Amino acid sequence: MDSDLIIVGGGLNGPALALAAAGAGFSVTIIDALPSAVRSMPDFDGRSYALALTSQRLLQGIGVWRAVADHAQPMLEIKVTDGRAGEGAAPWMMHFDHAEIEEGPMGFLVEDRHLRAAFLTAMDESDLITQIDAARVVAQDIMPDGATVTLDNGETVSGRLLVGSDGRGSGTAKRAGIKRIGWGYDQTAVVCAVAHDKPHGGIAHQFFMPNGPLAILPLTGNRSSIVWSESTDRAAQLMKLDDDQFLEALRPAFGSFLGQLSLTGARFTYPLGLTLAQSFVADRVALIGDAAHGVHPIAGQGLNAGLRDVAALAQVLSEARARGEDIGGAQPLARYQEWRRFDTTTLALATDTFNRLFSNDNPLLRAARDMGMAAINAAPSLRRGFIREAAGLTGDLPKLMQG
Ligand SMILES: Cc1cc2nc3c(=O)[nH]c(=O)nc-3n(C[C@H](O)[C@H](O)[C@H](O)COP(=O)(O)OP(=O)(O)OC[C@H]3O[C@@H](n4cnc5c(N)ncnc54)[C@H](O)[C@@H]3O)c2cc1C
């Protein structure tokens, strides 16, 4: 075998698993179709992630956080309101403050460029990780004692366990015969970042608009990341506008609480949909991240869920080795699936339900959800439950996320 693990996909979850596995003493070959220079551009491109506190702990545990920390904005409060563009927020809101829990900030906002650069540097520094860039996996063979993948340049790589971290359209899953369920939302997220006059105070805002949620997430300095989910037609129109026109369109939804706005970096669009692999494992194959579950960004939990897969799989593999088991064997894979599949299915269904409940202008639903938000906000134990959920502190936490 060339290595213990072959990881297909060097996006975000693949490198996190490579580092977690190497940290536990496994040798890893990680393959990505794109050159690393394309995956990690030094300029800010508007993409960023709300990482839960437990994801930050994982990044610390795998030696990546020190390179990211100076660029990370702590998320201290979250305010959730219902509204229509131009009318301001409805009077009902949910307000979650990290001061209500002991563990610290609910999470951190990290720009994509800093995260990817930190992953690549840490992988370069590891003797146990071999990186193959600019090579697409086109075939996989499963044998009794391992798996072999074939690259588009004809080379082959073998390992005891094949991990699919190749995103929503996972070829690894397809080749393993794993079917998916899912649907589109006819919504597209327009993602960008803005600079503003007034400080954000580390507060993240989620405004529920009739076409979809608008998230305003604090970045370092007087900057915020925008994830604006709109109907697909409207998102296409928004992308045709020049920067000034785009800001004019954003202002009625965004409001004026942060003062004057200007765009920093490019605008991106992501068609939104749900996709869930019917199994997270097959013979000698495990899926992690978006290859296993792609969810609506309404709760900013996609990458957080993927990083939990990473921490869980790394722990299952270490424990399997300690027991003398084959790391690509059926029992460890069944334990990984049992740990992660129920959690992620629940997350996928919850984000789906929230999106359907909030992305509409039905007056009855509006009244019901406003009452629901007021009730949650008035109940300290429910409020704390939501804060712990946002921080990723609920459920069966893998060791790398326990801090
Ligand atoms: C608008 C939006 C906002 C979001 N905000 C948040 C947030 O705030 N917080 C959060 O937790 N999550 C967020 N997410 C979710 C997050 O972006 C994803 O969960 C995450 O990027 C998935 O990473 P991944 O590594 O699993 O997959 P990907 O990033 O899709 O990486 C897959 C990699 O596999 C490679 N690949 C594919 N096929 C092959 C092949 N055959 N051979 C070799 N390589 C291959 C690709 O080149 C790619 O690099 C958001 C998502 C969207 C759309």
Side-chain angles (χ1 to χ4, degrees):
M1 296 293 159
D2 296 311
S3 47
D4 295 319
L5 270 72
I6 311 169
I7 300 177
V8 182
L12 295 169
N13 288 303
L17 179 66
L19 291 163
F26 293 109
S27 58
V28 179
T29 303
I30 180 165
I31 305 159
D32 200 285
L34 297 172
S36 58
V38 172
R39 278 182 283 144
S40 172
M41 306 289 266
D43 293 333
F44 180 46
D45 65 5
R47 289 181 297 164
S48 50
Y49 306 100
L51 289 181
L53 177 65
T54 47
S55 296
Q56 181 262 343
R57 289 177 179 172
L58 167 77
L59 296 183
Q60 198 149 34
I62 61 175
V64 166
W65 186 248
R66 64 179 186 278
V68 174
D70 286 347
H71 309 288
Q73 168 64 47
M75 191 162 57
L76 304 176
E77 297 174 42
I78 302 176
K79 289 183 176 174
V80 183
T81 45
D82 203 359
R84 285 195 192 93
E87 288 184 9
W92 318 111
M93 72 141 79
M94 293 190 288
H95 181 197
F96 305 118
D97 188 338
H98 80 291
E100 291 195 51
I101 59 169
E102 291 164 3
E103 285 83 351
M106 280 171 266
F108 295 83
L109 261 295
V110 177
E111 293 168 29
D112 180 83
R113 60 173 170 162
H114 296 310
L115 200 52
R116 283 179 197 265
F119 277 139
L120 288 172
T121 307
M123 288 197 297
D124 286 343
E125 287 168 0
S126 170
D127 294 337
L128 287 171
I129 301 176
T130 306
Q131 298 176 65
I132 302 180
D133 285 335
R136 176 170 289 279
V137 172
V138 291
Q140 67 201 38
D141 285 312
I142 305 300
M143 299 154 305
D145 59 345
T148 301
V149 295
T150 306
L151 312 183
D152 55 2
N153 58 14
E155 281 175 27
T156 58
V157 181
S158 60
R160 298 203 180 285
L161 175 66
L162 171 60
V163 179
S165 175
D166 42 356
R168 286 173 168 248
S170 173
T172 308
K174 270 185 217 139
R175 288 185 287 270
I178 298 175
K179 295 202 170 66
R180 315 183 75 83
I181 51 163
W183 43 84
Y185 289 118
D186 192 24
Q187 284 175 323
T188 294
V190 179
V191 177
C192 62
V194 291
H196 36 77
D197 293 343
K198 298 185 188 166
H200 47 55
I203 305 173
H205 295 266
Q206 178 90 280
F207 297 141
F208 287 114
M209 300 290 171
N211 283 346
L214 170 72
I216 304 170
L217 306 164
L219 297 175
T220 49
N222 280 4
R223 297 178 309 138
S224 291
S225 165
I226 306 289
V227 182
W228 188 3
S229 304
E230 265 290 350
S231 67
T232 294
D233 288 347
R234 168 103 169 109
Q237 288 164 12
L238 289 172
M239 290 304 283
K240 285 187 192 142
L241 303 177
D242 66 29
D243 285 359
D244 288 341
Q245 291 168 329
F246 178 77
L247 286 172
E248 275 310 305
L250 176 65
R251 240 170 234 125
F254 193 106
S256 54
F257 68 104
L258 290 175
Q260 281 296 321
L261 302 181
S262 59
L263 274 178
T264 62
R267 283 175 255 156
F268 291 83
T269 56
Y270 294 89
L272 300 181
L274 180 141
T275 164
L276 200 55
Q278 289 191 351
S279 172
F280 285 9
V281 298
D283 274 357
R284 299 228 163 245
V285 173
L287 303 179
I288 60 167
D290 278 21
H293 43 76
V295 300
H296 195 287
I298 192 165
Q301 289 301 328
L303 180 55
N304 291 309
L307 294 176
R308 214 182 249 234
D309 300 342
V310 165
L313 184 57
Q315 185 171 328
V316 163
L317 298 180
S318 290
E319 288 169 358
R321 185 185 48 194
R323 290 178 180 158
E325 288 174 337
D326 173 358
I327 60 161
Q331 278 115 338
L333 293 183
R335 285 200 290 275
Y336 165 64
Q337 157 130 291
E338 197 181 325
W339 197 343
R340 293 303 299 143
R341 189 141 192 281
F342 179 73
D343 253 23
T344 37
T345 306
T346 310
L347 172 69
L349 294 179
T351 53
D352 187 76
T353 308
F354 273 119
N355 184 48
R356 286 174 203 279
L357 184 63
F358 280 93
S359 300
N360 70 69
D361 213 12
N362 179 313
L364 277 178
L365 275 182
R366 231 177 131 84
R369 68 198 185 210
D370 288 353
M371 273 164 47
M373 287 208 283
I376 290 169
N377 203 49
S381 61
L382 284 180
R383 244 185 3 246
R384 268 196 298 278
F386 270 75
I387 295 169
R388 295 188 72 76
E389 194 70 46
L393 291 162
T394 54
D396 185 4
L397 274 184
K399 283 184 188 139
L400 273 169
M401 292 188 147
Q402 289 173 12

